[in-house]
Structure formats: C-alpha cells, structure tokens
Amino acid sequence: GLLADVATPGRIILTASTAEQGSWEFGELKNGVFTKFLVEGLQSTAADANTNGQVSAEEAFAYLAGRVDSFVLSRTGYHQNPQIYDGVAGEVNLIQPFTVDTCP
C-alpha cells in the first residue's frame, strides 16, 4: 500500500522500524530512539563515512541502523530495525555545513 505510493524514483524514505516492529521512545532521550541517532549523526562528523564534510541519507542510515537496534534490544529484548528505500542514484546530502557565503 503505502510503499507502492511513495516508493517512486527520486525519493529516499527512512523509517524507524519494519512494519511489524514498534518504534521505541524513552524519556531519558526526550525523543524516539531513531530520532536520537539520526540527529546525533547529523550533528557530528561521526556519520560522515567518506569524510567529505557532508552527511548523506545513506551515511546517516548506515550510522543509525545498528545503533538503534542495539539500544532498543539491550533495554527491551525486542528488535527495532530501521529501513531505507533509496530511489535516488548516488548519495543525497542531508546536511552541508554553512559558510558565511552560503548562510541564509
């Protein structure tokens, strides 16, 4: 249903879990686990696997997927496996540092 509607060329979709799993939140994080690790990856150089100063959707997913599952599994005994549908050729940058010349 939904995947057929949105899984068209030119889109990247990141989901917090599979359709059969829950997406966990913990008060200590003040966010969902997926959001915690996505933001963490975007706000640091940790997810920038190719060290080009940018974090692509693909790099962000690679950074967060295992961390999300490990965090949830260690606290609940359940898995939470984020998913990616990548309908774009090449990498799509989610964040690019601003410079004085490009800052809005």
Side-chain angles (χ1 to χ4, degrees), residues 56-70:
S56 68
E58 298 81 0
E59 287 174 316
F61 181 79
Y63 175 82
L64 68 83
R67 287 171 173 83
V68 168
D69 189 47
S70 293

Side-chain angles (χ1 to χ4, degrees), residues 1 8 17 20 23 29-30 35 48 50 63 72 75-76 78 86 90 95 97:
T8 58
S17 64
E20 297 79 27
S23 296
L29 301 180
K30 299 181 178 142
T35 301
D48 183 13
N50 64 6
Y63 175 82
V72 171
R75 286 160 178 79
T76 67
Y78 294 99
D86 190 346
I95 187 165

Side-chain angles (χ1 to χ4, degrees), residues 11-100:
R11 295 185 182 168
I12 295 178
I13 301 164
L14 300 174
T15 64
S17 64
T18 68
E20 297 79 27
Q21 297 172 329
S23 296
W24 290 83
E25 295 186 15
F26 294 89
E28 69 206 58
L29 301 180
K30 299 181 178 142
N31 277 309
V33 178
F34 174 85
T35 301
K36 180 239 187 306
F37 287 108
L38 176 61
V39 170
E40 183 178 288
L42 294 176
Q43 289 182 334
S44 72
T45 59
D48 183 13
N50 64 6
T51 64
N52 69 350
Q54 302 171 351
V55 177
S56 68
E58 298 81 0
E59 287 174 316
F61 181 79
Y63 175 82
L64 68 83
R67 287 171 173 83
V68 168
D69 189 47
S70 293
F71 187 94
V72 171
L73 186 61
S74 69
R75 286 160 178 79
T76 67
Y78 294 99
H79 288 280
Q80 180 178 331
N81 302 107
Q83 303 293 297
I84 186 170
Y85 168 81
D86 190 346
V88 177
E91 291 192 351
V92 174
N93 291 317
L94 296 181
I95 187 165
Q96 182 173 5
F98 287 116
T99 65
V100 174

